[in-house]
């Protein structure tokens, strides 16, 4: 039998500790009695109660969640279409240009993306009057711009390794291309779509740089609120809110994993 080397086990444990100890400490200090987030003053859940009265923080959190969910849906839709075009229409005119354009947001610095999108929105408003000002819509459009690039890479990888014999057999039996896509292709790439949706949602929730360029006075996301509060000292209410978000994300990942595992067990094909 394969024997795990102690060095590999130690490296794995150190890697897991590096990733998850900060998250665990954040959750623990959300139950801190002290107002100082780095000084333990005893166990208390008062910051969760105080969080319910913090309307600006809750409003920013709800705005971030709403934009992240819409961004994830649009990014999956557009990224899937781009991946299908790159895989199924390779060699066609414009294929290389589409491949370069879809991969560009992956390598361009965020500050350059934010600045270029700001200039684009300002120019569009002057020329056609849309979008009118900066706010939720411009943040959503900016997030979709770079999120769909990640979804495209994930879905494209799945399409490249997918067995197309089932699609060809269905077409030979008289099924229409749309029927083949929704009954065969879509279920086979469902894990990639779920992974892309979760990644796009996380990227949107985490974004600060791009949103700072394209947001307006009436649209402040949660990362912007947290960053601005660092100057005055982070409130333990932010720890409480972050703990709730971590719990919700963990539940979403767990439910998605169980559904995908159940679908894989029920499917007769790998």
């Amino acid at each position: 039998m394969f024997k795990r080397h102690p060095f590999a086990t130690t490296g794995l444990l150190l890697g897991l500790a590096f990733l998850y100890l900060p998250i665990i400490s954040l959750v623990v200090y959300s139950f801190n009695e002290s107002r100082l987030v780095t000084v333990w003053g005893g166990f208390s859940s008062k910051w969760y109660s105080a969080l319910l009265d913090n309307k600006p923080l809750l409003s920013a959190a709800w705005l971030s969640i709403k934009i992240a969910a819409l961004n994830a849906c649009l990014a999956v839709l557009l990224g899937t279409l781009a991946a299908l075009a790159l895989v199924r229409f390779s060699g066609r005119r414009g294929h290389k240009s589409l491949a370069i354009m879809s991969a560009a947001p992956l390598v361009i610095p965020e500050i350059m993306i934010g600045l270029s999108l700001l200039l684009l929105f300002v120019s569009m408003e002057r020329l056609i009057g849309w979008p009118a000002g900066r706010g939720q819509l411009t943040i959503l459009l900016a997030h979709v711009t770079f999120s769909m690039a990640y979804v495209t890479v994930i879905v494209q990888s799945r399409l490249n390794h997918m067995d197309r014999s089932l699609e060809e057999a269905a077409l030979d039996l008289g099924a229409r291309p749309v029927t083949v896509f929704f009954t065969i292709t879509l279920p086979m790439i469902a894990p990639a779509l779920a992974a892309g949706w979760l990644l796009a949602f996380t990227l949107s929730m985490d974004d600060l740089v791009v949103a700072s360029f394209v947001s307006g006075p009436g649209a402040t996301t949660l990362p912007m609120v947290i960053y601005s509060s660092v100057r005055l000292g982070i409130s333990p209410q932010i720890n409480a809110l972050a703990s709730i978000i971590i719990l919700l994300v963990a539940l979403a990942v767990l439910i998605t994993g169980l559904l995908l595992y159940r679908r894989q067990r029920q499917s007769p094909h790998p």
Side-chain angles (χ1 to χ4, degrees), residues 54-130:
N54 194 332
K55 297 300 179 59
L57 186 59
L58 292 178
S59 177
W62 171 243
L63 177 63
S64 294
I65 294 174
K66 181 171 61 174
I67 291 177
L70 292 174
N71 162 72
C73 295
L74 293 175
V76 167
L77 176 61
L78 297 177
T80 302
L81 294 176
L84 287 170
L86 291 173
V87 175
R88 302 296 171 83
F89 301 97
S90 60
R92 299 290 183 89
R93 185 178 180 180
H95 177 269
K96 294 183 178 180
S97 299
L98 177 60
I100 294 174
M101 292 175 62
S102 61
L106 299 176
V107 296
I108 297 178
E110 288 186 342
I111 190 170
M112 300 302 297
I113 296 177
L115 179 59
S116 61
L117 288 173
L118 174 61
L119 296 176
L120 173 64
F121 293 147
V122 171
S123 301
M124 290 177 60
E125 184 180 5
R126 290 178 179 177
L127 292 175
I128 62 176
W130 184 89

Side-chain angles (χ1 to χ4, degrees), residues 257-270:
L258 291 176
L259 292 176
L260 292 177
Y261 176 76
R262 184 178 179 182
R263 178 186 293 271
Q264 186 177 6
R265 290 291 300 272
Q266 293 177 350
S267 176
H269 302 283

Side-chain angles (χ1 to χ4, degrees), residues 2-23:
F2 177 75
K3 184 177 181 180
R4 186 181 296 275
H5 197 277
F7 179 78
T9 303
T10 303
L12 176 62
L13 294 177
L14 290 176
L16 292 176
F18 179 80
L19 290 174
Y20 292 105
L21 279 181
I23 298 177

Side-chain angles (χ1 to χ4, degrees), residues 171-188:
L171 291 173
D172 291 339
L173 292 174
R176 296 182 177 180
V178 176
T179 304
V180 173
F181 176 79
F182 283 102
T183 58
I184 297 178
T185 307
L186 192 60
M188 295 181 69

Side-chain angles (χ1 to χ4, degrees), residues 30-242:
S30 68
F31 295 96
N32 186 13
E33 174 71 24
S34 174
R35 183 177 294 273
L36 302 176
V37 295
T38 57
V39 178
W40 182 256
F43 181 85
S44 175
S45 60
K46 66 178 183 179
W47 301 115
Y48 287 88
S49 301
L51 177 63
L52 299 177
D53 297 327
N54 194 332
K55 297 300 179 59
L57 186 59
L58 292 178
S59 177
W62 171 243
L63 177 63
S64 294
I65 294 174
K66 181 171 61 174
I67 291 177
L70 292 174
N71 162 72
C73 295
L74 293 175
V76 167
L77 176 61
L78 297 177
T80 302
L81 294 176
L84 287 170
L86 291 173
V87 175
R88 302 296 171 83
F89 301 97
S90 60
R92 299 290 183 89
R93 185 178 180 180
H95 177 269
K96 294 183 178 180
S97 299
L98 177 60
I100 294 174
M101 292 175 62
S102 61
L106 299 176
V107 296
I108 297 178
E110 288 186 342
I111 190 170
M112 300 302 297
I113 296 177
L115 179 59
S116 61
L117 288 173
L118 174 61
L119 296 176
L120 173 64
F121 293 147
V122 171
S123 301
M124 290 177 60
E125 184 180 5
R126 290 178 179 177
L127 292 175
I128 62 176
W130 184 89
R134 262 68 65 198
Q136 300 182 28
L137 178 60
T138 53
I139 296 176
L140 175 62
L141 294 176
H143 285 185
V144 172
T145 301
F146 65 82
S147 296
M148 66 171 291
Y150 292 88
V151 177
T152 301
V153 172
I154 296 174
V155 179
Q156 183 180 1
S157 177
R158 176 57 179 154
L159 288 172
N160 283 328
H161 295 86
M162 191 181 71
D163 185 9
R164 296 192 61 183
S165 61
L166 294 176
E167 295 178 318
E168 295 173 354
L171 291 173
D172 291 339
L173 292 174
R176 296 182 177 180
V178 176
T179 304
V180 173
F181 176 79
F182 283 102
T183 58
I184 297 178
T185 307
L186 192 60
M188 295 181 69
I189 65 174
L193 298 181
W197 196 96
L198 291 174
L199 180 59
F201 183 90
T202 304
L203 290 172
S204 179
M205 284 289 297
D206 184 61
D207 175 67
L208 170 65
V209 178
V210 176
S212 299
F213 277 95
V214 299
S215 65
T220 304
T221 61
L222 182 61
M224 296 171 62
V225 171
I226 295 176
Y227 180 75
S228 62
S229 66
V230 171
R231 303 174 184 177
L232 303 176
I234 298 178
S235 170
Q237 297 179 29
I238 296 179
N239 288 355
L241 178 61

